Amino acid sequence: DIVMTQTPLSSPVTLGQPASISCRSSQSLVHSDKNTYLSWLQQRPGQPPRLLIYKISNRFSGVPDRFSGSGAGTDFTLKISRVEAEDVGIYYCMQATQSPITFGQGTRLEIK
Amino acid sequence: QITLKESGPTLVKPTQTLTLTCTFSGFSLNTYGVGVAWIRQPPGKALEWLALIYWDDDKRYSPSLKSRLTITKDTSKNQVVLTMTNMDPVDTATYYCAHANGYQYWGQGTLVTVSS
């Protein structure tokens, strides 16, 4: 299985300030079809996960442009340009390049 | 509009078999490339992918749980069923189904508690 490792596990951030979460995979996420199936999900308290970013850097419909994804190969980053109160929750990276699909441990974003 | 909803027992006893149903709308499991997956999340813990079934009945399972899982589909009812045998208290979790083409759509989840 591909192991997904997120850092940090907890991120206290001041409202209006940027936040960044890293995700590293134990092997390359480049698929044989040349796509990299790395996604970011947000889980607000008491809610199911919500897709934010797919294939490294593509924002899903309705996701604010303050969220951005980057990276390649085994190293990926989710950035929030200016954190808002509604961004509180847990963020997961997820790989779908190889079965079984695997998730990172989650990063808890909280407001200072 | 794509929606998914999980249903099943909220409480099962150890050693029993769990059967969960995912009822969906807005897409068809007869369509080329479409799949539905199950994911679970123990309280306060991370997400764990369990199983996936595709439009052509191709099935994938988590290697660590493969011996206990079965996933099936009923395209006429727009449902996917997951069974998990020999339930244990460590299987207590919220179980989600999701549209597996990008995991863009998830159900609200159903909490299953395993306790005697």
Side-chain angles (χ1 to χ4, degrees), chain A residues 70 74 80:
Chain A
S70 63
T74 62
I80 310 173

Side-chain angles (χ1 to χ4, degrees), chain A residues 2-111:
Chain A
I2 296 177
V3 176
M4 306 297 287
T5 303
Q6 290 181 230
T7 54
L9 297 183
S10 179
S11 180
V13 182
T14 302
L15 287 174
Q17 293 300 301
S20 180
I21 301 169
S22 294
C23 177
R24 177 167 290 180
S25 57
S26 60
Q27 60 192 83
S28 174
L29 298 186
V30 180
H31 193 274
S32 56
D33 66 7
K34 305 294 191 278
N35 287 305
T36 300
Y37 295 100
L38 184 283
S39 300
W40 290 95
L41 305 169
Q42 175 197 59
Q43 188 173 32
R44 291 172 172 151
Q47 294 294 312
R50 167 199 179 199
L51 180 69
L52 295 178
I53 303 283
Y54 62 97
K55 288 197 281 186
I56 302 177
S57 59
N58 297 274
R59 271 190 304 276
F60 184 51
S61 173
V63 174
D65 61 6
R66 64 179 182 276
F67 291 93
S68 64
S70 63
T74 62
D75 287 284
F76 306 93
T77 302
L78 174 71
K79 291 184 178 177
I80 310 173
S81 58
R82 293 173 306 279
V83 170
E84 298 187 4
E86 66 178 16
D87 300 336
V88 165
I90 302 176
Y91 291 79
Y92 295 94
C93 58
M94 180 192 90
Q95 70 81 21
T97 292
Q98 181 184 112
S99 185
I101 286 160
T102 48
F103 298 89
Q105 322 96 296
T107 295
R108 184 178 299 276
L109 184 75
E110 53 195 23
I111 305 301

Side-chain angles (χ1 to χ4, degrees), chain B residues 43-92:
Chain B
K45 295 189 177 181
L47 300 163
E48 179 184 17
W49 184 87
L50 300 176
L52 163 61
I53 190 165
Y54 286 108
W55 87 104
D56 61 355
D57 213 38
D58 183 18
K59 301 168 187 178
R60 308 291 170 90
Y61 294 101
S62 166
S64 62
L65 292 167
K66 184 174 183 177
S67 63
R68 299 173 53 205
L69 295 174
T70 303
I71 190 169
T72 59
K73 62 182 174 68
D74 185 332
T75 52
S76 66
K77 293 182 179 179
N78 279 352
Q79 290 181 335
V80 170
V81 175
L82 181 75
T83 60
M84 181 180 291
T85 61
N86 195 23
M87 293 292 286
D88 182 271
V90 300
D91 297 313
T92 293

